[in-house]
Amino acid sequence: IHLILMENIHQAAIELVFQNYDLKGSSFDRKVSVSSMSTIPPRLVLKDRNFDEIEKTISINQEDHRRFEIELGRDLQFLLSQNVMDYSITLEKVATVQEPSDDPRLFRGRESVSYCMGVIDFGQRWNMKKKMENFAKKWFRGGRHQEISSVNPIDYAR
């Protein structure tokens, strides 16, 4: 058994949370059904297709964008070196507090919104089982591999 220990990314008080997403970069089976946007509990974790419908994009300042790219790049290099795939980026949209934060996972957005982001999930090794899953999903999805998350670690990191 292998274990990756990660720091808690979601440290915002519940009353500050607007939305919470688990993003894999795929669309197959990546939507949580909700009856109304006004009734989504702040800790309900939404997925990629919800993000595409609700947010579409996020806007953070250039310095934070560069900092996130560097942090994400380091994480992806480590995961690639371990031949791992099947992880997510968590994105939590929170109300910005007035005092500056030294939290490295907090990225300032526009107006009164900030985002907590980081790599989460337990990662899977790219092995024969995952290769077969990739083949089967592509076969049944008509070759639309960009919609599935079971892909080799190099494609997954893109």
Side-chain angles (χ1 to χ4, degrees):
I1 294 176
H2 298 287
L3 174 70
I4 298 175
L5 184 62
M6 295 178 239
E7 209 172 340
N8 182 9
I9 294 171
H10 302 289
Q11 297 184 10
I14 189 76
E15 61 272 8
L16 298 177
V17 176
F18 295 128
Q19 224 62 44
N20 193 355
Y21 297 96
D22 176 321
L23 305 173
K24 286 192 177 288
S26 63
S27 60
F28 181 68
D29 197 27
R30 298 296 301 161
K31 184 175 183 179
V32 175
S33 295
V34 291
S35 57
S36 166
M37 279 302 300
S38 62
T39 61
I40 298 175
R43 289 291 184 194
L44 177 66
V45 179
L46 302 173
K47 297 183 180 182
D48 298 69
R49 289 181 43 213
N50 300 105
F51 179 83
D52 292 341
E53 292 172 3
I54 298 166
E55 307 287 338
K56 295 183 181 48
T57 63
I58 64 168
S59 180
I60 57 177
N61 67 47
Q62 198 169 18
E63 180 183 327
D64 281 350
H65 183 269
R66 196 179 84 232
R67 185 168 52 93
F68 179 68
E69 283 184 329
I70 290 169
E71 291 299 320
L72 182 61
R74 287 181 189 151
D75 290 344
L76 295 180
Q77 282 304 113
F78 170 75
L79 293 166
L80 277 169
S81 74
Q82 301 301 306
N83 204 30
V84 167
M85 42 77 68
D86 204 16
Y87 44 86
S88 299
I89 292 178
T90 184
L91 182 137
E92 188 174 65
K93 184 178 177 181
V94 298
T96 300
V97 290
Q98 297 303 343
E99 65 273 0
S101 173
D102 60 352
D103 186 341
R105 296 164 304 268
L106 188 66
F107 302 89
R108 295 261 182 193
R110 295 180 187 234
E111 299 173 15
S112 61
V113 174
S114 290
Y115 301 92
C116 291
M117 296 185 277
V119 175
I120 60 166
D121 283 346
F122 59 93
Q124 297 271 334
R125 289 231 183 248
W126 180 245
N127 56 24
M128 186 54 74
K129 180 180 174 186
K130 285 295 176 181
K131 290 175 185 178
M132 294 301 293
E133 180 182 341
N134 172 276
F135 175 79
K137 284 184 175 180
K138 281 198 287 190
W139 178 265
F140 289 110
R141 301 286 300 157
R144 296 179 298 196
H145 67 281
Q146 69 275 13
E147 296 179 0
I148 62 174
S149 62
S150 181
V151 296
N152 71 66
I154 294 170
D155 288 340
Y156 199 91
R158 291 185 191 155

